[in-house]
Amino acid sequence: MENKITKSLVIIGGGPAGLAAAVAAAENGLPAEDILILERDGRLGGILNQCIHNGFGLHTFKEELTGPEYAARFEERAKALHIPYKLGAMVLSISPEKVVTAVSREDGLFTVEAGAVILAMGCRERSRGALNIPGFRPAGVFSAGTAQRLVNMEGYMPGREVVILGSGDIGLIMARRMTLEGAKVHVVAELQPYSGGLKRNIVQCLDDFGIPLKLSHTVTEIHGKDRVTGVTISAVDDKLKPIPGTEEYYSCDTLLLSVGLIPENELTLGAGAPLSRVTNGPVVNESLETGVPGIFACGNVLHVHDLVDYVSEEAAQAGRAELERGEKAALDLFFVVADGVEFFPFRIGERGAVEPALVFFHIITHCRLLPSAPQRSLPEVPAHRQAASQEPEFPLRNRTYL
């Protein structure tokens, strides 16, 4: 028998973004029983469960929390609101009609017909395969997040002699974590001439433990066949190419990679939502709605955030936007580009009033865009700013301009 469920709102992902979106939707009037969170892990909280260091919650809760403590705050609010959720539920696909197909041990294969879907799948780490580093594929090469889970949640040490490639926040934090667990971190190498992590993490995780940071350096060879025995690090030029003669060999048994995060958007593509070439996340409007009506995106699946507090804030906006989308569908967003560089953003409010609007756009050419609703009067563009050429009028309704 086919297992079908109907819900007003389905949230894919039970991490900080998914929990914040669910809580915001419930607190703003959507009945909790009409919401469903689908989480593939065995517990709510997402990546925060393995982030046992502090530094979370300074913006949201005005106090310093660890990752599990921050996640627990939202989990408690979700449970207090009696928001349903399914753990160990892997979402297989989302159709443009907002039919979610998932599988779990308890329910088998099931589908959820949703009135709206919020994508909150987070992001994943870039792997060694994206780096094209010469060498065999020995044991001992881990992404920094995988090593973090092994140490903090599974109780395993990846190695004792460590080199880290990439100075993102996860790499910096793992340099300190491995040191505290008794490993020797020889060096952190960074391809760019600047660190990709927060300044406080550079000070607290590297400087305080005497771990060197080599900027404009990268790993050019991994040594070892069955297990990593060492790596070669080389300086790079201004075009990020290795400089011959600058090679340094480091003996180690573990290489951790902290070389960037990628929004997890296979489900987004399957739903038919276009992705941005800049963020690798879905293209959304001011309500965080993707190119597929009724499907929203928030958190690291939209773009990678520096702080989880910003993830929660954005996700709460998505939760509220789902409730308001019926009203916002009647609003039109207009803008005029004059002289190729200046713009005057505004939109028509519900009662016909002109309201300021925040617009992100990319100027392709000299153009002037005019609305498709001539019955509504628009603010007059100053004469000295009007485009000299006579371009045709382009309707904006139901179109996306990138």
Side-chain angles (χ1 to χ4, degrees):
M1 178 183 294
E2 191 174 3
N3 192 354
K4 286 188 177 181
I5 306 171
T6 301
K7 294 287 182 179
S8 297
L9 175 62
V10 174
I11 299 173
I12 315 300
L19 289 171
V23 168
E27 289 180 344
N28 282 273
L30 184 64
E33 60 270 17
D34 289 338
I35 304 172
L36 178 63
I37 301 174
L38 298 177
E39 169 56 48
R40 66 183 178 186
D41 205 352
R43 59 189 298 183
L44 296 173
I47 196 67
L48 291 180
N49 290 319
Q50 68 186 52
C51 301
I52 65 174
H53 53 279
N54 57 9
F56 302 93
L58 292 173
H59 294 271
T60 304
F61 298 109
K62 310 303 179 186
E63 59 179 307
E64 195 172 40
L65 304 172
T66 65
E69 288 173 335
Y70 185 97
R73 296 283 180 95
F74 279 97
E75 184 176 347
E76 290 166 2
R77 290 170 64 183
K79 290 181 177 178
L81 292 167
H82 304 290
I83 298 174
Y85 59 89
K86 290 182 180 292
L87 300 178
M90 173 68 75
V91 175
L92 304 178
S93 66
I94 304 171
S95 74
E97 294 74 30
K98 300 182 289 296
V99 176
V100 179
T101 302
V103 64
S104 71
R105 179 174 297 179
E106 290 76 16
D107 301 297
L109 184 68
F110 63 95
T111 59
V112 186
E113 295 181 354
V117 175
I118 295 180
L119 306 174
M121 295 90 69
C123 58
R124 65 173 183 267
E125 295 179 277
R126 185 174 281 110
S127 65
R128 178 193 171 180
L131 304 181
N132 297 321
I133 302 175
F136 292 97
R137 301 185 62 181
V141 181
F142 300 89
S143 67
T146 298
Q148 185 181 56
R149 183 179 180 91
L150 289 173
V151 174
N152 293 346
M153 298 187 69
E154 310 295 339
Y156 294 104
M157 273 294 286
R160 292 293 178 183
E161 302 287 330
V162 183
V163 169
I164 299 177
L165 175 61
S167 63
D169 289 316
I170 302 176
L172 298 175
I173 289 167
M174 282 309 296
R176 176 180 62 183
R177 189 77 181 106
M178 296 294 287
T179 301
L180 292 174
E181 290 297 327
K184 171 64 177 176
V185 179
H186 293 283
V187 67
V188 175
E190 169 58 51
L191 179 68
Q192 300 292 341
Y194 51 85
S195 173
L198 298 174
K199 180 64 176 178
R200 72 180 186 193
N201 285 333
I202 297 174
V203 173
Q204 296 174 0
C205 300
L206 298 187
D207 296 349
D208 290 354
F209 291 89
I211 301 171
L213 171 62
K214 286 184 173 289
L215 300 176
S216 297
H217 281 73
T218 190
V219 173
T220 50
E221 188 171 357
I222 300 174
H223 303 276
K225 190 171 183 180
D226 296 323
R227 175 80 192 195
V228 173
T229 59
V231 298
T232 296
I233 292 178
S234 302
V236 298
D237 57 22
D238 56 358
K239 295 182 179 179
L240 306 181
K241 300 296 183 182
I243 302 174
T246 62
E247 296 85 358
E248 295 180 77
Y249 175 80
Y250 288 87
S251 177
C252 63
D253 60 16
T254 304
L255 174 64
L256 301 186
L257 304 176
S258 177
V259 290
L261 301 169
I262 306 171
E264 189 80 66
N265 273 303
E266 281 70 25
L267 291 175
T268 309
L269 286 171
L275 299 186
S276 166
R277 290 175 294 179
V278 177
T279 65
N280 291 319
V283 176
V284 296
N285 61 18
E286 73 275 13
S287 300
L288 301 179
E289 189 174 22
T290 69
V292 180
I295 297 183
F296 299 78
C298 60
N300 284 341
V301 77
L302 182 57
H303 64 95
V304 178
H305 295 66
D306 289 331
L307 298 177
V308 71
D309 303 72
Y310 299 151
V311 168
S312 300
E313 181 181 347
E314 184 178 84
Q317 179 187 346
R320 292 189 295 268
E322 187 280 326
L323 298 173
E324 300 168 357
R325 68 189 176 101
E327 302 173 6
K328 290 196 174 183
L331 298 178
D332 290 320
L333 185 64
F334 307 116
F335 63 90
V336 176
V337 179
D339 299 330
V341 292
E342 296 187 75
F343 67 101
F344 313 94
F346 54 89
R347 71 180 182 185
I348 305 301
E350 293 182 67
R351 301 181 185 275
V354 175
E355 303 173 352
L358 180 62
V359 179
F360 297 92
F361 66 95
H362 177 63
I363 299 176
I364 303 299
T365 183
H366 233 54
C367 64
R368 186 183 185 206
L369 300 178
L370 297 175
S372 60
Q375 71 274 16
R376 291 174 174 174
S377 59
L378 302 176
E380 183 177 355
V381 179
H384 71 281
R385 288 178 171 173
Q386 292 181 2
S389 59
Q390 299 295 321
E391 287 83 12
E393 296 185 359
F394 297 94
L396 295 186
R397 186 184 298 273
N398 299 327
R399 294 198 181 187
T400 301
Y401 292 88
L402 302 181

